[in-house]
Amino acid sequence: MLYLFKISFLSLKNKISSLKFSEDLKAAFFIFIGINLVLIIYAASYSLLKYVNSVAVAGPLLVNKITSLFFLAAFMMTALSSVIVSFSSIYFGKDLKLLLSLPLKTGDIFSFKVLNAFFYASWMVLAGLMPFLIAFAVVKGAGIWFYVCSLVFAVPFLASASFTGTAFSVVIMKFFPKAKIRNIIFVTGAVFFTALIVVLRLTYSEKLISTEGFALLSQYLSYLDSPTAKFLPSWWYAGAIFGLAAENLGKVLFYFFMLSVGAAFMWAGLKFLAKKYFVDGLDEGQAFAPSRIKKENYGVSSAFSSLLKKDMKVFFRDSGQWSQVLIIASIVLVYLFSMYKLSFETIKMHNTMSLVNCALVWFVATAVALRLSFPLISLEGDSFWFLFTIPVKKFKIFTEKILFGSFSVCVVSIVLIAVTNYMMSISYPVFLITVSATVFVTALIACASVSIGAILPKFNYSSIPQIESSLGGLIFMLFSFFVIIVNILILMQPVRLFYAGSYSQILFVKYFIFIVLVNLCFLAVIFSIGYNAFKRIEK
């Protein structure tokens, strides 16, 4: 196994040393963006924890409860990510045939793949976990050893989550055929989303800001002081963190022991499962699953509808795309549930929140477009040349890609903005203009995702997240953020005038027309640039 890690290290070293100047700039740009995202997470976490900690009586307990829930969510996210990564890496990886042909033990190959899956499933969670822990340490006034030990303790914590997800994958590959894996992932994702929503609403912290909540303050304090999923590694990690903040050495050692034993136990269990089931699952994963032959009615259809059917079939057959849908579904469900639980006391607050709601919905639209629409061109891969050989104009092909990518983005956004506006009892004029603006903004975002995907395609990829995290994905996100800021600034004016009692239908129509013209101009420009780049692709 050390031999495999040595090869990976040398490969990474050669890749870094052979970077060109343009690639150096790209890497530096990504690092710059990453540092800023970490700083934003820290600033938001510090503001939240500091404010909550200042609440009389319940503040410190509520901070601990939020922290333990954050760790529980991190544990579940790592486990689910490990399920998805382990399927694509351990059983369907492109390098498996090469590795199996080498004079290496199957167990060593499995261990190497498991540790790789652990890294790819947990690095992003760790990147979000560290700024939160730093903010927690600053609020609690912890010493330097807190930072060192919290990072060390995070390794067995995340390892336990990752090994749990990988063990699930091993069992699934043994007892279910490849054709059923997509359904299993769907069920797993549904269970995860339900659990995540329950976790996010366990605190019911809004009771603290109402007069009725204070009547139950003693019961609420006892709830805050109770463990959160105390049999999971997330609570062991939380206990170690709380012990570090309180400088309670006995508590720190006890929970660190629990974390270490838990991770070691999961590793031993995983190795046991691999010894019994890995080879059988590997045979299933590398073989073609049996398919049922169905009679097709090959009637005459238009070129456009044929392209649309092709993209739909590719989408529903690809389990990697389904995993993206599950992630998006979790975002939508959590957002709707959170908005449902919010309460405001004045109609002005409702309408003020409508602008914030618009921005958040458009950010969700950007996330949906990045995961479903942006990769459409790149997913054609080595067969992209075939698109240009069929007797269909390139304009129709490009237009079909945009319409196919726009459907999910627009549907999700319109449903979100309409449902959340209804939940917040938004006034009718503001309700109408925000929904109408969402239609054009999300159409522009969807068009931009496919267009920028055509300008900067990434045909050489091993997983869909590599397409999303490419330079083109970053440029698309920056463009979408710019579009969102511009439209929010325009939308602020009619809403502000509505507050001041200067509402008139003509005024709202004028601003609506202005929003439409601005977005149509952006759409025409980005469509033209994307289409010209699409025509020049050679693959």
Side-chain angles (χ1 to χ4, degrees), residues 134-176:
I134 294 173
F136 178 86
V138 173
V139 170
K140 294 292 186 179
I144 187 64
W145 281 106
F146 178 93
Y147 303 96
V148 178
C149 294
S150 60
L151 180 60
V152 173
F153 296 169
V155 175
F157 163 60
L158 296 175
S160 299
S162 179
F163 296 160
T164 301
T166 304
F168 179 81
S169 302
V170 173
V171 174
I172 291 299
M173 284 301 300
K174 167 62 181 177
F175 295 103
F176 294 89

Side-chain angles (χ1 to χ4, degrees), residues 68-146:
S68 60
L69 290 173
F70 184 82
F71 293 160
L72 181 56
F75 179 86
M76 291 191 292
M77 289 175 62
T78 305
L80 181 63
S81 297
S82 183
V83 171
I84 297 171
V85 172
S86 58
F87 273 126
S88 60
S89 175
I90 297 177
Y91 291 103
F92 308 126
K94 295 182 179 180
D95 59 344
L96 272 176
K97 292 181 180 179
L98 173 63
L99 292 175
L100 293 173
S101 66
L102 297 176
L104 296 171
K105 294 180 180 180
T106 307
D108 290 341
I109 296 175
F110 177 80
S111 299
F112 171 74
K113 283 291 187 177
V114 168
L115 294 177
N116 268 281
F118 164 50
F119 173 77
Y120 286 110
S122 61
W123 74 266
M124 190 173 292
V125 177
L126 183 63
L129 195 62
M130 286 300 103
F132 180 87
L133 285 172
I134 294 173
F136 178 86
V138 173
V139 170
K140 294 292 186 179
I144 187 64
W145 281 106
F146 178 93

Side-chain angles (χ1 to χ4, degrees), residues 515-533:
I515 290 174
V516 172
L517 291 176
V518 168
N519 287 284
L520 287 179
C521 288
F522 276 128
L523 191 146
V525 172
I526 196 67
F527 180 91
S528 177
I529 297 174
Y531 175 59
N532 290 327

Side-chain angles (χ1 to χ4, degrees), residues 14 139 214 240 428-429 436 461 497 512-513:
N14 292 336
V139 170
F214 284 104
Y428 179 75
S436 303
Y461 66 92
L497 293 174
F512 171 70
I513 294 174

Side-chain angles (χ1 to χ4, degrees), residues 48-61:
L48 172 65
L49 295 179
K50 184 180 180 181
Y51 173 76
V52 173
N53 194 60
S54 63
V55 175
V57 184
L61 293 176

